[in-house]
Amino acid sequence: RGYWVTLANSLRRVLLSSLPGTKVTGIKVKGITHEYATLPGIKDSILDIMLNLKGLVIDKSDSGEAWVQLVANKSGKVTAADIKTSSDITVINPDLYITEIDQDGFELAIDIRIEKSTGYVSIEQLKEKEDDVNVLLVDANFSPVLNISYEIEDVRFGDMTDLDEIQLTVKTNGIISPIESIRFAGNMLTSYFSM
């Protein structure tokens, strides 16, 4: 009795901080040097576009960073389906709204940097390693786990009435299943404890 509180807290911490994921960490737009700028023919500001891109769910097979490009030249909504990727990168939510083009003939071209890592990286941390002044930085929480909660209940097994049962509720972004994420976290904790 009481062990599940320790185990549940440990699992929750690992699930939220140590699972690898892929996120947008920067963008480049020709002629734009700061995030408060606007583009003619584009409904949203650069800042709004950056905030929308934070919701991009990407599956990337290898670690490190890569650049993909968003290209659109027709009036109407621009979604994540307009992003051109290589074979090792998959956009999981292609219907994600990014912005809207108001007029035909205007071409929107945005270079998007994506990185696969763990934990959270702030804009200050990104600035320390950034060489290109034209890159607009985006802070990122790499964990594919969106939310996790748990409840501990009393349970009976035969004559033993002082046992605990844990009910975990895990929500992920679709890159990894909740079961796989718990398995990953359990294996990570096992590897640390076995040291």
Side-chain angles (χ1 to χ4, degrees), residues 4 42 152:
W4 271 119
I42 301 298
I152 298 168

Side-chain angles (χ1 to χ4, degrees), residues 7-64:
L7 293 174
N9 276 326
S10 301
L11 277 172
R12 186 175 184 277
R13 292 291 298 263
V14 172
L15 283 165
L16 291 174
S17 68
S18 301
L19 269 68
T22 306
K23 286 290 180 179
V24 174
T25 59
I27 68 166
K28 280 167 73 171
V29 184
K30 189 175 180 181
I32 300 297
T33 57
H34 60 88
E35 60 268 21
Y36 302 109
T38 57
L39 288 169
I42 301 298
K43 183 178 178 182
D44 299 287
S45 69
I46 297 298
L47 181 60
D48 288 330
I49 291 171
M50 291 168 68
L51 290 172
N52 291 338
L53 284 170
K54 285 181 79 163
L56 190 62
V57 181
I58 312 159
D59 190 14
K60 185 172 177 288
S61 57
D62 59 340
S63 60

Side-chain angles (χ1 to χ4, degrees), residues 1-182:
R1 185 176 188 90
Y3 271 85
W4 271 119
V5 175
T6 305
L7 293 174
N9 276 326
S10 301
L11 277 172
R12 186 175 184 277
R13 292 291 298 263
V14 172
L15 283 165
L16 291 174
S17 68
S18 301
L19 269 68
T22 306
K23 286 290 180 179
V24 174
T25 59
I27 68 166
K28 280 167 73 171
V29 184
K30 189 175 180 181
I32 300 297
T33 57
H34 60 88
E35 60 268 21
Y36 302 109
T38 57
L39 288 169
I42 301 298
K43 183 178 178 182
D44 299 287
S45 69
I46 297 298
L47 181 60
D48 288 330
I49 291 171
M50 291 168 68
L51 290 172
N52 291 338
L53 284 170
K54 285 181 79 163
L56 190 62
V57 181
I58 312 159
D59 190 14
K60 185 172 177 288
S61 57
D62 59 340
S63 60
E65 67 178 52
W67 286 88
V68 295
Q69 191 173 45
L70 168 68
V71 178
N73 53 15
K74 298 186 293 193
S75 64
K77 288 185 180 178
V78 178
T79 65
D82 297 308
I83 297 174
K84 297 178 181 176
T85 62
S86 57
S87 59
D88 63 330
I89 298 169
T90 307
V91 176
I92 304 299
N93 57 344
D95 56 341
L96 175 74
Y97 172 84
I98 295 171
T99 189
E100 192 170 338
I101 298 177
D102 291 337
Q103 52 187 315
D104 280 326
F106 180 83
E107 182 173 274
L108 175 67
I110 302 175
D111 292 321
I112 303 167
R113 181 177 65 199
I114 57 172
E115 289 187 48
K116 186 170 188 176
S117 188
T118 58
Y120 172 78
V121 62
S122 67
I123 290 179
E124 287 72 27
Q125 291 170 308
L126 289 168
K127 280 180 183 175
E128 291 175 9
K129 64 176 189 172
E130 188 57 62
D131 297 328
D132 191 344
V133 294
N134 294 317
V135 175
L136 304 175
L137 302 173
V138 181
D139 64 322
N141 178 13
F142 292 101
S143 179
V145 176
L146 303 176
N147 192 9
I148 174 169
S149 62
Y150 63 86
E151 289 182 22
I152 298 168
E153 300 174 352
D154 294 332
V155 69
R156 176 185 182 137
F157 183 76
D159 292 336
M160 296 182 287
T161 58
D162 61 344
L163 300 176
D164 283 346
E165 176 182 83
I166 185 170
Q167 304 240 349
L168 286 168
T169 305
V170 180
K171 183 179 179 184
T172 69
N173 64 7
I175 296 294
I176 188 171
S177 71
I179 293 291
E180 283 299 316
S181 67
I182 293 170

